[in-house]
Amino acid sequence: DEEDTLTTAIEDLSSLILYDNCNNNSNTIDIPLFQEQMEDPLNGRISKCQNTYFMDGGVRFISLPTLGNSNTKVTSPISRLFEEWLANKLYSHPNDTQLPILEDNIELLVEDILNKFKSRVRTLKGLSNILIKIRTGHVYTYHQLEDGQPLITEDMEDFFQQFPLFVEIIMYVLPTQRLHYHHHIEQENIQLLLVFENSTLNPGNPYTIMESI
């Protein structure tokens, strides 16, 4: 009815105003504010998904999705792209004496991930803003879930002897703004913020880069 339509329109406008700064050039965006807005648990338009990949230090890895992910349909293109990047990275790693990802240069890793998303930006159609937080390290540095049961338990000791390394990815995604009558707000680019932390090389001080793709 008219009252529901008006309420929805107000919510759409509020969301648009909240993220209006994100439609500008990435050089002018307040990155801490962008990250804070994307992590806002009260914004129902933002979908969150978390996956953890455990690696053996060679080419094998196993993905363990986290319970409680919201709207994985929206985040699934990002998950697929990252998993594709991860597989290629492990299979093509040239140095047998250096652990892949964990001992690689952080800036080069982030640039490589960013280029992966740039090359497949069409698969991200319908998305407006993306925050990707990546954390990697040895299993003993893996933290327990803040909003659920610990993922690592004592009965998984044998598993972690085989797969002692991890890469955790948390995705926050804001779809393109929709208005009534199926009209869209014109937005050519996607604002992508990448936050990368290596629990050995830069613990607590993640490397951050933001680009408009």
Side-chain angles (χ1 to χ4, degrees):
D1 63 22
E2 293 184 1
E3 185 175 347
D4 290 339
T5 301
L6 178 60
T7 301
T8 304
I10 292 173
E11 290 176 352
D12 287 343
L13 269 177
S14 298
S15 181
L16 175 61
I17 293 170
L18 178 63
Y19 292 94
D20 182 62
N21 67 308
C22 301
N23 296 325
N24 300 324
N25 186 285
S26 59
N27 293 328
T28 65
I29 292 177
D30 184 330
I31 292 180
L33 178 59
F34 179 93
Q35 181 170 346
E36 179 183 343
Q37 291 175 339
M38 291 299 293
E39 293 178 326
D40 182 4
L42 300 180
N43 191 324
R45 295 189 62 236
I46 295 176
S47 297
K48 176 184 176 183
C49 182
Q50 176 176 336
N51 288 319
T52 305
Y53 302 88
F54 293 95
M55 307 175 294
D56 67 350
V59 299
R60 295 190 304 161
F61 68 91
I62 294 178
S63 171
L64 294 181
T66 301
L67 296 177
N69 289 336
S70 66
N71 202 345
T72 53
K73 182 179 179 180
V74 175
T75 57
S76 60
I78 301 173
S79 295
R80 286 195 297 268
L81 281 178
F82 181 79
E83 192 163 314
E84 185 179 309
W85 172 85
L86 179 61
N88 291 337
K89 186 67 178 177
L90 296 181
Y91 288 133
S92 63
H93 200 272
N95 192 343
D96 293 334
T97 63
Q98 179 177 311
L99 291 174
I101 300 179
L102 270 75
E103 296 181 351
D104 289 336
N105 180 279
I106 292 176
E107 292 186 23
L108 294 180
L109 275 178
V110 172
E111 183 179 347
D112 197 31
I113 297 171
L114 189 60
N115 288 335
K116 178 69 175 181
F117 283 94
K118 284 181 176 180
S119 69
R120 302 281 290 279
V121 69
R122 288 187 177 181
T123 65
L124 305 176
K125 184 179 179 181
L127 305 182
S128 172
N129 298 329
I130 302 172
L131 165 62
I132 300 176
K133 298 173 67 176
I134 301 170
R135 186 170 178 266
T136 186
H138 293 270
V139 165
Y140 65 82
T141 66
Y142 189 80
H143 56 80
Q144 296 180 346
L145 302 179
E146 294 180 358
D147 54 356
Q149 295 298 316
L151 181 60
I152 297 177
T153 56
E154 293 181 3
D155 59 346
M156 299 178 72
E157 185 175 347
D158 290 341
F159 171 80
F160 292 122
Q161 288 181 353
Q162 298 181 56
F163 297 89
L165 313 174
F166 76 90
V167 175
E168 174 191 74
I169 177 172
I170 306 176
M171 298 154 280
Y172 301 84
V173 180
L174 179 71
T176 302
Q177 181 74 39
R178 287 178 177 270
L179 293 181
H180 298 290
Y181 310 109
H182 305 288
H183 290 300
H184 294 261
I185 292 175
E186 293 295 330
Q187 182 170 327
E188 297 181 356
N189 297 327
I190 300 170
Q191 304 303 327
L192 172 60
L193 174 60
L194 273 173
V195 180
F196 192 100
E197 179 179 353
N198 184 312
S199 60
T200 301
L201 300 180
N202 66 334
N205 185 32
Y207 179 80
T208 301
I209 186 171
M210 184 165 191
E211 283 204 21
S212 178
I213 64 174

